[in-house]
Amino acid sequence: TIDLTVLEVVAPAGFSGLSVTVSVTPAALTAFADASVSFTYTYVNPPAELSIKRGSIEGGTRLNATVYGFPLMNLQSNIGTLGVRFGSTPGKVIRIVRSEVDSAVVELGVPPVSSTGVVDVVVTALLSEGQKSSRTTYEYFEKPSIEAVNPVSGPKEGGFII
């Protein structure tokens, strides 16, 4: 799209960290001068994916997180470089389940919190090339409780709806 002040173009696919020169050479629009600017491709991590997206404020749930933007990691020697936070509360990295070229599956322990609601989950790795993180959200709810059972008894064969 073009008007007298704005030229909108779509960048083709590139590689993270690649710097290119974007040049505009008007053919029929002689009122515009040739122009060029620098453009650098960056990589934006997709959000992390959790195997379980919500749980009780009591914590204790174990779940798997698929985190992106992490290079291939040795499965156990890098576990000490990983950390996770559920909101402002530290969680536990239990183990690296699987590691691939640009992602990893990490087993996490969900910490207890004092209130319900949605929190940001951030998994961070301190690697030789710097800190990498992958994020998503997790929802805490009150622990369900049973107030009554009706009826209070049924046939020994089971199959009775209570």
Side-chain angles (χ1 to χ4, degrees):
T1 310
I2 188 168
D3 68 22
L4 293 179
T5 59
V6 176
L7 174 65
E8 184 178 291
V9 297
V10 176
F15 298 96
S16 181
L18 174 67
S19 290
V20 296
T21 300
V22 179
S23 298
V24 178
T25 306
L29 301 172
T30 56
F32 292 99
D34 287 358
S36 63
V37 295
S38 179
F39 176 82
T40 302
Y41 288 90
T42 57
Y43 179 78
V44 177
N45 288 344
E49 297 171 12
L50 301 179
S51 60
I52 300 172
K53 296 171 180 33
R54 51 193 312 256
S56 164
I57 61 173
E58 292 185 341
T61 301
R62 285 183 164 200
L63 57 84
N64 285 342
T66 303
V67 293
Y68 297 94
F70 292 21
L72 188 63
M73 295 191 289
N74 180 301
L75 292 182
Q76 292 309 318
S77 66
N78 281 321
I79 197 159
T81 67
L82 295 172
V84 62
R85 294 188 85 71
F86 286 74
S88 60
T89 308
K92 179 175 174 100
V93 175
I94 298 168
R95 67 187 178 106
I96 299 171
V97 177
R98 176 174 75 249
S99 184
E100 296 175 6
V101 174
D102 201 35
S103 66
V105 176
V106 182
E107 185 178 0
L108 304 174
V110 178
V113 294
S114 59
S115 61
T116 62
V118 176
V119 297
D120 288 326
V121 178
V122 181
V123 179
T124 304
L126 298 173
L127 304 169
S128 58
E129 64 270 15
Q131 181 173 309
K132 304 272 185 182
S133 63
S134 189
R135 55 184 66 233
T136 190
T137 57
Y138 183 83
E139 182 180 7
Y140 282 99
F141 56 80
E142 286 288 340
K143 179 181 177 188
S145 62
I146 298 174
E147 294 179 8
V149 176
N150 188 14
V152 294
S153 65
K156 67 180 179 179
E157 294 80 21
F160 199 72
I161 298 174
I162 56 173

